[in-house]
Amino acid sequence: MAPMGDGEEPQERDVTMQLKMPGSFTTDETVQLRVPPPGTSGPESEEAISGISASEVDSPTSKRIRGGDTADQTKRDGNGNRNRRKAPRPSLGSRLAAVPRLAPLLGPLAELTARLAPYARRMRPQYPRPGRTDWRRWLPSWRQWLGGSLAGVGFTGLFLVVAYAATDIPDNLNSYATQQDNVYFWADGTPMARTGWVQRQAMPLKDIPEDVRWAVLAAENASFYSDPGISFSGITRALLRTVGQGDTQGGSTITQQYVKNVYLNQDQTISRKFTEAMIALKLDNQMSKDDILEAYLNTSWFGRGTYGIQRAAQAYYGKDVSELNASEAAFLASLLKGAGLYDPTLNSANRERAVERWSWTLDRMVEIGKLSKAEREKYKEFPEPLKSNPLYDTGEQSDYLVELASQYAKSAADISDKDFDLGGYQIYTTFDKKREAQLTDSVTKARKKALEEDPKTAKTAHYGAASVAADGRILAVYGGPDHRKQGYNESNASTVPAGSAFMPFVYAAGLEHGVRKTRDEERTPVTGDSLYNGDDDVPVTTPEGPYWDRSGRKVSASNDGDVDYGQISLHQALALSVNTPFMQLGMDTGLEEVRATAEASGLLPSSIGAQVPALTQGSSTPSAIRMASGYSTFAAAGEHTEPYSVRKLTHNGTKVVLKLPDARRAVGADVAEEVTSALTDSFRTAHPDGAPADAEVAGKAGTTEDDTAAWYVGTYNSVSTAVVVYRMDLAKSLEPLPLKGIAGTTDDSVPYGIWSGATSPLG
């Protein structure tokens, strides 16, 4: 270094030292260090000396480390370009401290950190641990174990708290959770049919006997009323099974099972199990135990296509849940473990498992104090369930019955189609199981015989029939061969004319209102002894003279076989089915009165024919149900009750208000008595041996002039049955076709044969 003269300012010089490096360096290699000027100190000088980087090598034979201002420090890349290196960013702590609002918070935090620092240093693991030998050098101290355990517990608790808070009970239930079926019962209370995709009927807990509840609790979750909604030991076992065998079944409380049934799916995964537990905890805090138990019992799967304890009771024992005893309940509880494994009707292995589980459940009920030992001794024999579910799907005739009952229930209880389709209704019908079977069998035999004798004609034959009691109950109907093939209900169809079967209503109108021969005269009474002209083809007269049709011809009636009867009493004319007297009687009485009497007796206004003389000859087209209902009015002493098919309706066991029809006066009792008397003579004349001498029987055949329909309507012991046979090709038109002998003859009438087979010996 050259000496400085007086007054000269010291000049900064680049001082370079060359060092010989042994070892890996060759003899010609040197390292050049850039030494900062004297008096320079601080981070710049330190960085200048220590900042050696392989990227800063200038050549293969020399390596340079250059010191200087770090903010302006540069280096060359592989292409010789100079890259400027930025100064390091301030730390996060210093940046947060610069925020004024955070300063009050960071101060106490820094103080707390300073206090905990010594303890943290002591907890910090040192490996290998000083003062230990062998493998013990690598074991944490008891403080470290304790700290780690407490931290694990804390983090786990925090995680569970956050998970609990973040878990919401879903708003929408599983699609099967609320869906129910509608069940229809025969008049005797036995199941008839059900509709809907799911066999479920929700029952209030109060209607489920305590023995049934505790049988389920004993088998599934005896601590239900004291647990928090989940079982920690059960969940642990389930998780261990998941890890070991991939199975999370088991280990669930009733609350968890309910959550799985209605909110989640059946996937056997840890995530589903965890979600189930969180929802169960929250649900247990929001719902009462009784509400959870009720919901569980109404949504659980019991096999045989059933959900809920009510459907299970009906499917396995043919009774309501309220009628179950502890023994039967213990068996049903076993099905919750898996109906496919415990339904004894499937195989012998199932039966063995079911008996074992049934016995264990009863013993368990004794153990938890819910069944006395004395009562337990009563149940030594396994309660064998029914071999099959009596709640069969609908089909054939039952569909016609269901159709009638559902329509009536919705109308009489003012239930919308939407609400009714949601299910949960129990429809107790008026249909008599024995009568229905007998009526169906009678029609089936007639249909089969027709197909054998004249298959071409019989192919388009239709049979409708119905039985209605005097109080309006529809006891049986025949709607067709199979509702799944023909949804058209023959018993309820207004299709073909009533013909001469309409005569009783004309007779009743005349007896009730009297007749008027001229416009100005008062009405005069008519009795069964009143005489009318019974000859064939007698012109019909009005007070003004003969009745002319639109074509300019006189209107007249024609008797069957064109027979002349001369003067004949109305009673006798009805007994012998003479047409001409009743056409004139209708005109004398007034066609408006005839119409009103027919409607009051039970025929629908829409089915009544035009108000012309042909009305008295049966131009109206009532259904079989309505014809039977009309004749039942005479059997009920002139009081008419609208036909109905549902006697009681409940929704999930709760009674629904049903507007049942009331009886109302249609015709006087004396009028009804006379009409019944004439119909009795009609039956005895046509079928002397058709019924016992002391039987209350009355009836009449009905034919049409164009031979398109044949009827028989009769009353036997206050039950009226109407049968109609006609032909119609539904694929082509709704026009009736000629019968061509398919309905038999006067002496061998097919409608009468069906009627007789359906009523005898039931009456």
Side-chain angles (χ1 to χ4, degrees):
M1 178 181 295
M4 291 185 299
D6 293 338
E8 290 183 32
E9 291 293 330
Q11 302 291 324
E12 290 186 4
R13 293 180 299 170
D14 188 6
V15 181
T16 303
M17 294 190 301
Q18 293 186 350
L19 302 177
K20 286 284 186 178
M21 301 299 293
S24 61
F25 292 88
T26 62
T27 55
D28 292 336
E29 288 180 328
T30 62
V31 176
Q32 294 184 349
L33 301 179
R34 193 173 186 82
V35 181
T40 304
S41 61
E44 295 179 353
S45 62
E46 293 177 3
E47 182 178 346
I49 297 175
S50 61
I52 304 174
S53 172
S55 64
E56 297 181 85
V57 177
D58 290 340
S59 68
T61 59
S62 65
K63 299 177 182 178
R64 297 171 182 262
I65 302 176
R66 301 188 179 186
D69 188 358
T70 58
D72 193 37
Q73 194 169 4
T74 62
K75 62 181 179 179
R76 295 178 183 273
D77 58 18
N79 298 323
N81 297 322
R82 298 171 63 86
N83 296 325
R84 183 174 298 276
R85 186 162 53 188
K86 295 181 180 179
R89 296 181 63 186
S91 65
L92 177 62
S94 61
R95 280 183 286 164
L96 292 175
V99 180
R101 293 183 179 180
L102 297 180
L105 299 177
L106 294 177
L109 181 62
E111 183 180 351
L112 177 62
T113 303
R115 291 183 178 181
L116 294 178
Y119 299 100
R121 284 194 293 271
R122 294 177 63 183
M123 297 292 292
R124 185 177 61 191
Q126 299 180 15
Y127 294 104
R129 291 185 60 204
R132 300 289 190 273
T133 60
D134 301 328
W135 55 269
R136 288 186 292 273
R137 294 180 300 164
W138 305 100
L139 290 179
S141 67
W142 68 269
R143 293 185 182 88
Q144 293 165 349
W145 278 113
L146 179 61
S149 300
L150 292 177
V153 171
F155 281 118
T156 301
L158 178 62
F159 171 74
L160 292 176
V161 170
V162 172
Y164 179 85
T167 300
D168 292 324
I169 298 176
D171 294 328
N172 297 323
L173 299 181
N174 180 306
S175 60
Y176 283 99
T178 57
Q179 188 177 357
Q180 301 183 63
D181 56 3
N182 291 325
V183 180
Y184 299 77
F185 299 89
W186 293 105
D188 63 2
T190 58
M192 181 184 78
R194 70 176 183 86
T195 58
W197 294 103
V198 176
Q199 290 191 45
R200 177 188 284 117
Q201 177 194 340
M203 292 294 289
L205 192 65
K206 63 182 179 61
D207 294 335
I208 302 175
E210 285 198 16
D211 280 347
V212 177
R213 302 183 216 169
W214 280 106
V216 172
L217 292 175
E220 293 292 306
N221 186 189
S223 62
F224 170 73
Y225 280 100
S226 59
D227 65 40
I230 64 173
S231 168
F232 295 102
S233 60
I235 291 176
T236 302
R237 289 195 304 271
L239 292 177
L240 291 176
R241 290 179 182 178
T242 302
V243 174
Q245 303 174 10
D247 180 13
T248 60
Q249 292 180 357
S252 296
T253 63
I254 277 180
T255 307
Q256 288 175 263
Q257 292 180 50
Y258 170 65
V259 168
K260 179 178 66 175
N261 289 342
V262 303
Y263 294 116
L264 305 175
N265 54 43
Q266 304 298 316
D267 293 344
Q268 304 300 326
T269 61
I270 294 178
S271 62
R272 199 274 298 156
K273 196 74 178 176
F274 180 77
T275 304
E276 171 193 301
M278 290 297 102
I279 296 178
L281 280 171
K282 185 160 285 189
L283 200 68
D284 193 75
N285 289 328
Q286 295 184 9
M287 289 177 66
S288 70
K289 288 290 189 178
D290 281 349
D291 287 343
I292 294 174
L293 179 60
E294 177 183 310
Y296 171 75
L297 291 174
N298 284 320
T299 55
S300 295
W301 166 255
F302 285 88
R304 293 193 179 184
T306 62
Y307 289 85
I309 192 69
Q310 167 72 347
R311 282 292 171 271
Q314 293 169 343
Y316 289 91
Y317 291 108
K319 59 177 71 173
D320 286 343
V321 64
S322 60
E323 301 171 7
L324 293 176
N325 58 37
S327 177
E328 294 163 337
F331 162 69
L332 293 181
S334 70
L335 297 171
L336 294 168
K337 285 295 182 186
L341 295 174
Y342 290 90
D343 186 344
T345 62
L346 298 180
N347 53 59
S348 58
N350 273 20
R351 190 181 189 283
E352 185 177 342
R353 280 189 291 266
V355 172
E356 181 181 356
R357 183 75 177 173
W358 161 79
S359 180
W360 176 85
T361 300
L362 289 174
D363 291 341
R364 178 69 171 148
M365 290 178 70
V366 174
E367 183 181 335
I368 63 176
K370 298 302 177 181
L371 187 69
S372 67
K373 292 183 178 180
E375 190 173 2
R376 172 65 180 93
E377 289 300 315
K378 298 179 185 177
Y379 305 127
K380 294 183 177 180
E381 201 170 318
F382 179 69
E384 296 289 349
L386 301 174
K387 294 188 180 298
S388 61
N389 186 349
L391 299 175
Y392 293 114
D393 287 335
T394 57
E396 299 184 353
Q397 285 304 304
S398 58
D399 265 344
Y400 297 111
L401 304 180
V402 165
E403 181 182 63
L404 288 173
S406 62
Q407 290 174 351
Y408 185 83
K410 287 185 284 187
S411 174
D414 195 22
I415 302 171
S416 67
D417 290 340
K418 179 181 178 181
D419 289 341
F420 194 79
D421 290 343
L422 289 176
Y425 289 95
Q426 299 78 54
I427 302 95
Y428 296 86
T429 73
T430 60
F431 302 126
D432 185 293
K433 191 173 184 179
K434 292 182 179 179
R435 287 184 180 276
E436 179 63 32
Q438 197 156 325
L439 177 60
T440 301
D441 183 61
S442 185
V443 177
T444 302
K445 288 179 179 178
R447 182 188 293 276
K448 183 178 179 181
K449 181 180 179 183
L451 287 170
E452 291 174 351
E453 294 177 352
D454 190 352
K456 184 177 179 180
T457 304
K459 186 178 180 181
T460 55
H462 295 268
Y463 303 78
S467 295
V468 178
D471 59 4
R473 290 174 296 125
I474 302 176
L475 302 180
V477 301
Y478 180 87
D482 189 335
H483 190 276
R484 293 167 295 190
K485 298 177 181 177
Q486 177 190 297
Y488 184 64
N489 189 340
E490 307 285 6
S491 71
N492 201 32
S494 298
T495 308
V496 294
S500 54
F502 188 81
M503 284 184 185
F505 303 110
V506 181
Y507 189 28
L511 294 172
E512 182 74 15
H513 300 286
V515 297
R516 181 186 288 135
K517 297 289 185 178
T518 64
R519 292 294 182 191
D520 299 329
E521 72 173 309
E522 294 292 327
R523 288 184 175 271
T524 58
V526 171
T527 68
D529 296 328
S530 298
L531 299 177
Y532 269 77
N533 190 343
D535 288 342
D536 182 54
D537 204 23
V538 176
V540 176
T541 62
T542 69
E544 287 80 19
Y547 186 93
W548 303 83
D549 64 17
R550 292 183 179 181
S551 63
R553 292 180 302 179
K554 290 182 180 180
V555 175
S556 60
S558 179
N559 295 326
D560 291 342
D562 299 330
V563 178
D564 292 331
Y565 291 90
Q567 292 295 307
I568 188 173
S569 69
L570 291 175
H571 182 103
Q572 189 70 5
L574 183 60
L576 298 177
S577 193
V578 182
N579 296 331
T580 52
F582 289 98
M583 180 174 277
Q584 188 59 55
L585 176 64
M587 299 302 294
D588 294 344
T589 304
L591 296 179
E592 66 280 1
E593 302 295 348
V594 172
R595 178 188 181 97
T597 301
E599 291 180 7
S601 299
L603 273 61
L604 293 176
S606 59
S607 70
I608 303 298
Q611 207 160 292
V612 296
L615 174 65
T616 61
Q617 300 300 292
S619 61
S620 301
T621 57
S623 66
I625 291 176
R626 287 293 170 169
M627 280 297 282
S629 175
Y631 274 52
S632 71
T633 299
F634 304 131
E639 287 196 334
H640 173 69
T641 304
E642 279 290 287
Y644 64 97
S645 55
V646 179
R647 58 184 176 83
K648 185 176 75 171
L649 181 67
T650 61
H651 185 257
N652 294 333
T654 301
K655 189 175 181 180
V656 177
V657 177
L658 194 68
K659 300 173 185 175
L660 295 179
D662 295 323
R664 52 182 172 78
R665 176 64 59 185
V667 295
D670 56 338
V671 171
E673 184 180 2
E674 169 55 30
V675 174
T676 300
S677 175
L679 289 173
T680 299
D681 288 346
S682 175
F683 176 84
R684 296 293 181 185
T685 300
H687 310 283
D689 301 323
D694 59 346
E696 296 179 4
V697 60
K700 187 182 184 313
T703 57
T704 59
E705 188 174 357
D706 54 4
D707 190 37
T708 55
W711 290 80
Y712 195 86
V713 188
T715 303
Y716 198 154
N717 291 344
S718 299
V719 175
S720 297
T721 300
V723 180
V724 61
V725 179
Y726 64 97
R727 286 182 64 230
M728 184 179 291
D729 191 344
L730 297 176
K732 295 181 179 180
S733 73
L734 297 179
E735 286 296 321
L737 301 173
L739 288 170
K740 293 184 177 181
I742 200 73
T745 64
T746 303
D747 296 331
D748 186 19
S749 167
V750 171
Y752 173 76
I754 294 173
W755 181 90
S756 178
T759 57
S760 179
L762 295 174

